[in-house]
Amino acid sequence: MQIASWVVRQSATPMTWETREERAGPGEALVQVAGCGVCHTDLGFFYDGVPTRHPFPLTLGHEVSGVVVDAGPGADAWVGRAVVVPAVLPCGECAACRAGRGQVCPTQIFPGSDVDGGFGTHLKVPARGLCPVPDLSQPANNPHRLDLPALSVIADAVSTPYQAILRSGLKPGDVAVFVGAGGIGGFGVQVAAALGGAVVAIDVNDERLAQMAQHGAALTINARTNDFKAIKKQVRAFADSRGVPTWRTKIFETSGTTQGQATAFGLIGHGGVLSVVGFTPQSVEVKLSNLMAFDAVAQGNWACLPEHYPAIVDLVLQGKVALTPFIEPRPMRTINEVFEQLHHGPAAGRIVLVPES
Ligand SMILES: [Zn+2]
Ligand SMILES: [Zn+2]
């Protein structure tokens, strides 16, 4: 089948619209893209020299929803189904996968890094791990009337913090602190609240904090107008007022900045958990011995296992995690302008590129 996509031939040089032949092989699905979210990671690949695993020329984009239009042997049952494509697709068969550690599967497929991604009309992915989406035209399935392009952000921005929250062991009533309430953190705040957490959102943008106060954050703190001491004091007072000790306080670094990382590390208390969800290529200096002294845990989080996706789709369709106020659909043909804009500063919402029909 002839498909087309936006190809990066050289970093920081406008992508070009190119056509190619693509056919689904055994176990593979060809997905017609409904929407593809633009992630901080795409900007890192495009502008900052973060290497993709398959060298350029390559099509970026790993936050995809769409419809399977063709499939190879063994995957025929997927044809015609609406799906969310997990940003990371583990092989499902290696020792890591069999041990439940698909996050570190050595042959995992990350569209837009290992293979051509979703900034195009179609992309080809392994069918294993695709997350089926129920029929959105049925009001019973979709009371909030979301469309398929909007669901693309589940593939990374919603699912990644979801897995981090699960692994932190967050229980209802525990305190969840998000350092950074942007693309990833904003959904993290909502997921943690939906799972019963008492959520603190820390960010540098007052508008964003006001929005998070409407969507799950019980306390918001501006890190531009509060120094670290003031932040720590407010977080402690909030936890104390709810009778939550430090060992039931989970910190999530979702800013992907060195300042955010320093703040998040500094907030760890006795028995606490820090989950590193954001990414920056820069280093930060921390007193690692605090982990020892506090018997605390610092954990990284890479993407989200496909097996968790159906529960996330449910949370979204039930309206427990709102997408619409947090995304900004744009025509896919504006991709070069969108990248340029995001390179100079964050957008109000996560931008979802929608192919022209
Ligand atoms: Zn991403
Ligand atoms: Zn594997």
Side-chain angles (χ1 to χ4, degrees), residues 5 11 18 20 58 71 74 95 104 116 122 126 139 149 151 162 196 210 249 275 288 304 318 331 340 344:
S5 68
S11 59
E18 300 181 17
R20 67 176 190 273
L58 184 75
V104 291
D116 284 311
H122 301 75
L151 300 193
Y162 179 91
T249 299
S275 178
L288 207 55
C304 178
Q318 289 163 21
E340 196 54 31
H344 290 104

Side-chain angles (χ1 to χ4, degrees), residues 310-324:
I312 304 169
V313 169
D314 272 355
L315 279 183
V316 167
L317 292 180
Q318 289 163 21
K320 291 185 178 160
V321 173
L323 301 186
T324 312

Side-chain angles (χ1 to χ4, degrees), residues 167-190:
R167 292 167 102 188
S168 77
L170 182 88
K171 301 222 161 38
D174 288 356
V175 169
V177 182
F178 286 82
V179 181
I184 296 272
F187 291 120
V189 165
Q190 294 196 67

Side-chain angles (χ1 to χ4, degrees), residues 25-306:
E28 290 179 332
L30 194 64
V31 178
Q32 180 170 12
V33 177
C36 184
V38 183
C39 177
H40 191 66
T41 306
D42 296 313
L43 301 177
F45 290 145
F46 190 64
Y47 289 108
D48 305 331
V50 177
T52 48
R53 282 197 294 238
H54 183 289
F56 298 153
L58 184 75
T59 296
L60 300 177
H62 56 267
E63 205 170 72
V64 179
S65 58
V67 176
V68 177
V69 290
D70 191 22
D76 333 29
W78 286 96
V79 175
R81 299 211 68 167
V83 294
V84 171
V85 182
V88 167
L89 293 150
C91 80
E93 285 163 7
C94 71
C97 284
R98 279 185 280 116
R101 294 301 309 276
Q103 301 94 343
V104 291
C105 168
T107 55
Q108 61 182 244
I109 299 290
F110 179 3
S113 177
D114 290 296
V115 296
D116 284 311
F119 296 134
T121 59
H122 301 75
L123 83 167
K124 189 175 73 174
V125 288
R128 181 204 284 268
L130 289 176
C131 174
V133 172
D135 182 357
L136 297 179
S137 69
Q138 296 295 318
N141 294 334
N142 186 19
H144 301 275
R145 292 202 244 159
L146 290 159
D147 60 16
L148 189 56
L151 300 193
S152 64
V153 297
I154 291 173
D156 181 14
V158 184
S159 59
T160 298
Y162 179 91
Q163 179 179 271
I165 291 163
L166 282 197
R167 292 167 102 188
S168 77
L170 182 88
K171 301 222 161 38
D174 288 356
V175 169
V177 182
F178 286 82
V179 181
I184 296 272
F187 291 120
V189 165
Q190 294 196 67
V191 171
L195 298 178
V199 183
V200 181
I202 302 172
D203 202 275
V204 292
N205 179 332
D206 273 326
E207 265 170 59
R208 184 61 164 192
L209 289 170
Q211 193 181 22
M212 294 327 305
Q214 303 290 314
H215 290 277
L219 171 67
T220 61
I221 305 173
N222 190 317
R224 199 155 268 163
T225 48
N226 288 273
D227 63 7
F228 174 70
K229 262 193 175 161
I231 293 171
K232 187 165 185 167
K233 206 170 147 192
Q234 288 175 70
V235 171
R236 279 285 154 79
F238 175 80
D240 287 349
S241 74
R242 290 168 181 258
V244 176
T246 51
W247 55 269
R248 284 178 51 206
T249 299
K250 322 291 181 182
I251 320 283
F252 300 90
E253 204 306 302
T254 40
S255 76
T257 65
T258 51
Q259 303 93 306
Q261 289 183 341
T263 298
F265 193 85
L267 288 173
I268 302 174
H270 286 88
V273 174
L274 165 67
S275 178
V276 180
V277 190
F279 175 82
T280 166
Q282 260 95 50
S283 310
V284 64
E285 194 171 303
V286 297
K287 195 166 151 195
L288 207 55
S289 303
N290 280 3
L291 295 179
M292 171 271 189
F294 295 162
D295 194 50
V297 173
Q299 183 170 55
N301 183 76
W302 174 247
C304 178
L305 292 177

Side-chain angles (χ1 to χ4, degrees), residues 341-356:
Q341 181 200 334
L342 293 176
H343 189 44
H344 290 104
R350 194 160 183 97
I351 294 180
V352 173
L353 295 176
V354 179
E356 294 69 37

